C-alpha cells in the first residue's frame, strides 16, 4: 500500500511516470505526480471530476506530452520511442473517438492490426483470426458490415474496444470504457478486462467513475485528488469510509460486497448527510 505519493515497497513496472506536471486546455491539473503501474495488474484510476484521471492516462499513453517529468516504458523515455514501437506495446481506448465517415465496423476493428504490419509482414490469416476474436469478445460480430456512424453510443463504444483488443498489446489503457453502456454491458466489458488480466497476463489500466466497480475489479487502485495520489494499493487495503469522505466529500459506510468480498461503498442516507452537514444549533 502507498499513500500521499509515498511508497511502501517497490513494485515491478514496465510503465511509470515520475515528477509529472500535466496540463490540459491550458490548465495545470497535476504537478510532481508520480505513479507506477504494477506489471500484470488490473489497475483502476478513480477520483473526483477534474482531478486529472484522464489527463494522466493520456500522458501514460504518450497522447499528451507532460510539461515536466518523464513517462518511462520498458526503461526508456516514452517520448523518445518510435510511434509504431509504442503502439505494439501500449493500446489506448480514449474517452472520445471519432471514426472516419462511412467506415464499417469490421474495417475499424481491423485497424487495430496496423501496428503489426510492415514491409515484411502483410495482412495474414492470424490478423483475420484476431479481428474476429476481438469482435466476438465485445459482442459486435453481428454489426460487422454496419457503418460505425450509424450505431448507438453503446455499440460504438464496444466497437472501439474491439479495435483496441485487436491491437493485442501487453499493456492496455482504457479511459472510461463503460461510457454509454447499460449496466449489463458495463459488467460484460469489465468481465472481459478481468479475463484479459487473469488469463492472458495483460496489464490493464482503466479510468472509472464508479468506485464500487473499481473496488470489485481492480487488483491495484490509484486514488487521485487535486492532481496528487491520495492513496494507492489493493482496494481491500485502502478503501475506507475516511478515504471516501476525504476524497469525494461523501459520508458513507464501507461494507463487504456479499458477492465478491471486496469493499462496497454505501452512501449515507440523504437525511443523515444533511444533518451531518448542518451545524448544530445546540
Amino acid at each position: 500500500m502507498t499513500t500521499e505519493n509515498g511508497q511502501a515497497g517497490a513494485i515491478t513496472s514496465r510503465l511509470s511516470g515520475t515528477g509529472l506536471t500535466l496540463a490540459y486546455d491550458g490548465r495545470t491539473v497535476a504537478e510532481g505526480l508520480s505513479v507506477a503501474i504494477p506489471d500484470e495488474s488490473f489497475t483502476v484510476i478513480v477520483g473526483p471530476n477534474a482531478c486529472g484521471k484522464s489527463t494522466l492516462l493520456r500522458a501514460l499513453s504518450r497522447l499528451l506530452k507532460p510539461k515536466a517529468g518523464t513517462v518511462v516504458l520498458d526503461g526508456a523515455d516514452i517520448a523518445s520511442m518510435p510511434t509504431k514501437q509504442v503502439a505494439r506495446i501500449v493500446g489506448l481506448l480514449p474517452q472520445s473517438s471519432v471514426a472516419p465517415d462511412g467506415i464499417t465496423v469490421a474495417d475499424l476493428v481491423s485497424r487495430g492490426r496496423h501496428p503489426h504490419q510492415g514491409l515484411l509482414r502483410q495482412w495474414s490469416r492470424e490478423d483475420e483470426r484476431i479481428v474476429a476474436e476481438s469482435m466476438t469478445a465485445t459482442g459486435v460480430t453481428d454489426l460487422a458490415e454496419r457503418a460505425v456512424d450509424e450505431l448507438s453510443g453503446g455499440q460504438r463504444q464496444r466497437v472501439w474496444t474491439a479495435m483496441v483488443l485487436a491491437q493485442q498489446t501487453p499493456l492496455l489503457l482504457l479511459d472510461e470504457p463503460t461510457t454509454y453502456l447499460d449496466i449489463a454491458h458495463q459488467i460484460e466489458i469489465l468481465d472481459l478486462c478481468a479475463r484479459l488480466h487473469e488469463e492472458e497476463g495483460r496489464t490493464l489500466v482503466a479510468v472509472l467513475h464508479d468506485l464500487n466497480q473499481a473496488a470489485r475489479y481492480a487488483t491495484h487502485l490509484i486514488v487521485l485528488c487535486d492532481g496528487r495520489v491520495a492513496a494507492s494499493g489493493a482496494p481491500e487495503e485502502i478503501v475506507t469510509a475516511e478515504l471516501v469522505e476525504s476524497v469525494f466529500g461523501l459520508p458513507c459506510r464501507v461494507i463487504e460486497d456479499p458477492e465478491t468480498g471486496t469493499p462496497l461503498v454505501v452512501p449515507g442516507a440523504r437525511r443523515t448527510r444533511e444533518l451531518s452537514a448542518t451545524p448544530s444549533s445546540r
Side-chain angles (χ1 to χ4, degrees):
M1 171 183 171
T2 65
T3 60
E4 299 295 336
N5 281 327
Q7 289 191 335
I11 61 174
T12 304
S13 177
R14 297 183 66 179
L15 181 64
S16 62
T18 303
L20 300 176
T21 296
L22 305 175
Y24 187 72
D25 288 341
R27 183 177 68 89
T28 298
V29 298
E31 290 186 88
L33 178 62
S34 295
V35 296
I37 306 302
D39 289 342
E40 298 184 7
S41 68
F42 186 176
T43 293
V44 177
I45 304 171
V46 297
N49 291 339
C51 71
K53 301 184 296 296
S54 294
T55 307
L56 172 60
L57 203 71
R58 287 165 58 87
L60 291 174
S61 67
R62 207 178 74 164
L63 201 60
L64 175 71
K65 182 179 180 180
K67 295 181 69 175
T70 306
V71 174
V72 175
L73 176 63
D74 288 342
D77 183 345
I78 198 172
S80 68
M81 299 173 67
T83 299
K84 208 162 191 178
Q85 180 183 358
V86 174
R88 286 194 290 264
I89 302 172
V90 179
L92 172 68
L93 175 66
Q95 192 175 104
S96 300
S97 303
V98 180
D101 289 341
I103 191 170
T104 66
V105 168
D107 286 342
L108 182 63
V109 177
S110 296
R111 293 194 175 197
R113 301 303 300 158
H114 286 187
H116 304 278
Q117 308 300 312
L119 292 175
L120 300 179
R121 188 191 185 284
Q122 299 301 311
W123 190 262
S124 67
R125 289 183 178 178
E126 180 187 10
D127 295 316
E128 291 283 359
R129 176 184 61 79
I130 291 170
V131 168
E133 288 177 354
S134 300
M135 293 174 65
T136 298
T138 52
V140 298
T141 302
D142 292 344
L143 305 174
E145 302 306 317
R146 295 272 302 276
V148 175
D149 52 17
E150 295 176 354
L151 304 180
S152 69
Q155 289 172 324
R156 286 197 299 270
Q157 186 74 353
R158 287 187 284 141
V159 170
W160 282 106
T161 302
M163 190 195 76
V164 176
L165 292 183
Q167 201 171 327
Q168 282 218 320
T169 54
L171 282 80
L172 191 57
L173 311 186
L174 308 167
D175 194 356
E176 299 185 30
T178 56
T179 298
Y180 305 121
L181 301 180
D182 60 43
I183 186 62
H185 283 114
Q186 288 178 31
I187 297 304
E188 283 183 10
I189 290 295
L190 292 172
D191 282 349
L192 172 60
C193 290
R195 287 196 300 274
L196 292 172
H197 158 248
E198 294 170 0
E199 299 174 10
E200 299 184 15
R202 295 207 214 180
T203 300
L204 284 87
V205 187
V207 169
L208 294 178
H209 277 296
D210 190 316
L211 185 55
N212 285 329
Q213 287 184 349
R216 172 176 280 204
Y217 284 92
T219 62
H220 184 77
L221 204 60
I222 297 175
V223 184
L224 294 186
C225 185
D226 297 327
R228 61 179 178 82
V229 177
S232 66
E236 60 270 21
E237 295 178 355
I238 67 170
V239 178
T240 64
E242 292 75 18
L243 177 71
V244 174
E245 184 161 8
S246 171
V247 171
F248 295 93
L250 178 69
C252 67
R253 294 173 57 204
V254 174
I255 63 174
E256 184 177 285
D257 187 318
E259 290 290 326
T260 61
T262 53
L264 181 67
V265 176
V266 181
R270 176 179 60 83
R271 186 171 298 277
T272 301
R273 287 185 281 111
E274 289 173 350
L275 287 174
S276 66
T278 304
S280 176
S281 60
R282 296 181 180 180

